[in-house]
Amino acid sequence: METQHNPKLVSTELANFWTQYMGDSMSVCMLKYMLKKVEDDDIRSILEFSLTLSNRHLQRIKEFFNEEKYPIPHGFTDEDVNLEAPRLFSDNFFLKYIHIMAAHGLTGYAIAFTTSVRSDVRKYYSDCNVESMELFNRSLDLLLSKGLYTRPPHLHPPEMAQYVKKQSFLTGWFGNRRPLNGIEISNITFNMNKTVLGKAMVLGFSQVAQAQDVREYFMRGTQLSSKHLEIFSSLLHEDNLPSPPSWDDQVTNSKVSPFSDKLMMFHTGFYTQAAVAFYGAAIAVSMRRDLATQYTRLTSEMEQYGEDGANILIDNGWMEQPPTADDRVSLASGKK
């Protein structure tokens, strides 16, 4: 029970709403374009459902901000999308994109729920989680029915439950290293599936970006993604396990941009931040030392890539500032 009738939103709630508003306003632009190009009716239905959710979220967040008398972020608008641009991605890419973004949504909403205090905010994020689960399930079921989803490797059951008997279970760089365990395989395949989609997306962005530095940044992103995929694949292949296929062929040869450079840079930044977070989670549960070291190195590369992208956003005046604590030093000195 709330002890105050009208408690103000706390910093975590403001941050969650701001982050979601930016992401959903971007998604609306992406989805409007996809709906303009999609031909498959089943995929269209999922895109329409996703667009409905994003629009509903934006409206509710505006209400929260207005009640708080907090400025609504600019986010992304119709100025950031060209619906008349030729097709850049296939219908299959649209479906895979929705599935991966739904997974991101589930992660983000879980964090937002657990860092929210007000009961109405918690109820809102609880609803968002339920909606995202439906979107995730619908997109996954359709991927499976179309034969587009690569299942993670199967593991054969041992005769009985087993215990680790030697510290060599933890080694990885020297000597005979043990095969990957299921937890490690799960993280590798999950990160590979995200990276496969991200590489194809940035590959498309690199073809259509207008500014030279933005185009070069995306090209660098495809190279970085290729490197990470090669490392992940080698880890699986060492144990004779399959790896997810490339989705690069789902990108057309169009050179006309459907999206503003600002939107594509923001989207790539979001994807990079998510990669850092999921790599960090993989470090925590990977028991072989070589895996933790690999993830640490890859995380460092992604962080550097993300920082370089942030600098491009700042240089072009594209980076909106999230809710921030008051600068008491500036206030005390009379600076504006």
Side-chain angles (χ1 to χ4, degrees), residues 168-310:
S168 59
F169 187 84
L170 306 175
T171 62
W173 286 116
F174 304 104
N176 294 323
R177 55 190 180 193
R178 61 161 174 81
L180 297 167
N181 64 39
I183 299 169
E184 294 159 345
I185 294 170
S186 175
N187 279 279
I188 291 172
T189 55
F190 177 78
N191 281 301
M192 282 195 76
N193 274 312
K194 280 175 32 52
T195 305
V196 163
L197 188 280
K199 183 193 173 193
M201 181 182 74
V202 176
L203 179 64
F205 289 172
S206 71
Q207 294 177 187
V208 299
Q210 298 180 29
Q212 181 65 26
D213 59 338
V214 173
R215 190 158 50 248
E216 291 175 353
Y217 181 75
F218 292 147
M219 292 174 64
R220 179 180 155 204
T222 63
Q223 295 166 359
L224 189 61
S225 296
S226 293
K227 174 185 175 182
H228 288 205
L229 288 170
E230 288 175 6
I231 291 172
F232 290 142
S233 293
S234 67
L235 290 168
L236 293 174
H237 294 167
E238 184 177 312
D239 290 332
N240 301 299
L241 299 172
S243 57
S246 169
W247 276 64
D248 291 357
D249 62 347
Q250 302 300 311
V251 184
T252 73
N253 60 0
S254 174
K255 299 185 70 175
V256 180
S257 183
F259 313 111
S260 66
D261 283 4
K262 171 187 172 183
L263 184 147
M264 293 188 291
M265 284 296 304
F266 176 87
H267 202 333
T268 304
F270 163 80
Y271 219 87
T272 303
Q273 291 170 354
V276 170
F278 287 121
Y279 284 3
I283 291 173
V285 297
S286 295
M287 299 178 186
R288 261 178 35 185
R289 296 192 190 104
D290 63 311
L291 297 180
T293 303
Q294 287 278 28
Y295 277 120
T296 300
R297 182 167 60 84
L298 300 183
T299 298
S300 177
E301 293 175 353
M302 294 302 287
E303 287 177 336
Q304 184 60 62
Y305 183 69
E307 181 177 339
D308 293 343

Side-chain angles (χ1 to χ4, degrees), residues 17-48:
F17 283 142
W18 183 91
T19 301
Q20 188 185 4
Y21 190 93
M22 296 295 292
D24 270 314
S25 64
M26 176 199 73
S27 293
V28 167
C29 294
M30 297 286 293
L31 291 166
K32 284 182 177 179
Y33 170 75
M34 292 178 181
L35 281 166
K36 188 77 171 180
K37 305 303 173 186
V38 68
E39 297 175 355
D40 185 290
D41 289 338
D42 292 328
I43 298 176
R44 176 183 296 278
S45 176
I46 291 177
L47 293 174
E48 289 173 342

